[in-house]
Amino acid sequence: MLRIAVLVSGGGSNLQAILDAIDSGKLDSVRVELVISSNREAYALKRAESRGIPTMVIDAHDWPGPRERDDKLLEVLNELNPDLIVLAGYMKILPESIVGRFPRKIINIHPSLIPQFCGEGFYGMRVHRAVLEAGETTSGATVHYVDEGVDTGEVLLQEQVPVLKGDTPESLAARVLETEHRILPEVINRLSREVK
Ligand code: GAR
């Protein structure tokens, strides 16, 4: 059984995709142990609660600064000691103290074809806006390991998504999300097969 912690900040549709894949038997040896949100208003928390999954809020506003917040996160993750940490729309950058503690045990989903439109400042809707402004005809989604850099870890799975004429950031985001919801559970499933 692969015990995972899912880190979220917003809507949580990728979390939902994981939960749905567990329900439908596609992720038969995965258990979500804890959902941690950087934002107490995140709808992702409701999704987890309605499934009886333990949640925790480590909201920046509750801590003197990012350092203290991340120390708390490290403490919680150390205690839980999950097999895998999944960043599913987590909008904070993990510090080296956490990344170094869990090498090749943290994965992230990013809404572009890494190495394009990624790194500091590229997250959520900003990515899709930048893709449209650059006049790209193809975008995509990437699942990758998290290392000490920002969106620089080894790519696990990447899929292209077409940019259509007349796309808005919102319409492109929705199309990319459909792919995210497929490839994120697929990678988790693959990793769960590697665990004894
Ligand atoms: C997703 O598109 C995800 O790839 C992106 O935020 C969205 C979260 O949606 N993540 C990043 O931009 C991380 N750099 P969700 O809360 O509905 O899963």
Side-chain angles (χ1 to χ4, degrees), residues 10-15 88-91 108-111 122-124 177 180:
S13 69
N14 277 293
L15 167 67
Y90 187 67
M91 298 305 180
N108 178 47
I109 178 116
H110 185 80
F122 284 106
Y123 55 86
L177 272 173
E180 293 185 41

Side-chain angles (χ1 to χ4, degrees), residues 64-124:
R67 170 106 191 249
E68 290 82 355
R69 180 200 66 209
D70 286 336
D71 284 351
K72 177 65 186 173
L73 182 57
L74 177 59
E75 183 190 313
V76 169
L77 290 173
N78 263 331
E79 194 167 318
L80 190 69
N81 196 25
D83 300 311
L84 186 71
I85 297 164
V86 180
L87 310 188
Y90 187 67
M91 298 305 180
K92 304 286 177 202
I93 292 167
L94 291 183
E96 275 186 41
S97 58
I98 296 181
V99 177
R101 163 74 179 80
F102 297 98
R104 290 176 80 81
K105 283 193 169 182
I106 310 177
I107 63 171
N108 178 47
I109 178 116
H110 185 80
S112 79
L113 292 174
I114 286 176
Q116 289 176 292
F117 304 101
C118 64
E120 286 219 52
F122 284 106
Y123 55 86

Side-chain angles (χ1 to χ4, degrees), residues 128 132 135-137 162-173 175:
H128 305 297
L132 292 177
E136 299 289 334
T137 54
V163 177
L164 302 182
K165 236 179 160 178
D167 255 342
T168 60
E170 290 73 20
S171 64
L172 178 57
R175 193 174 314 112

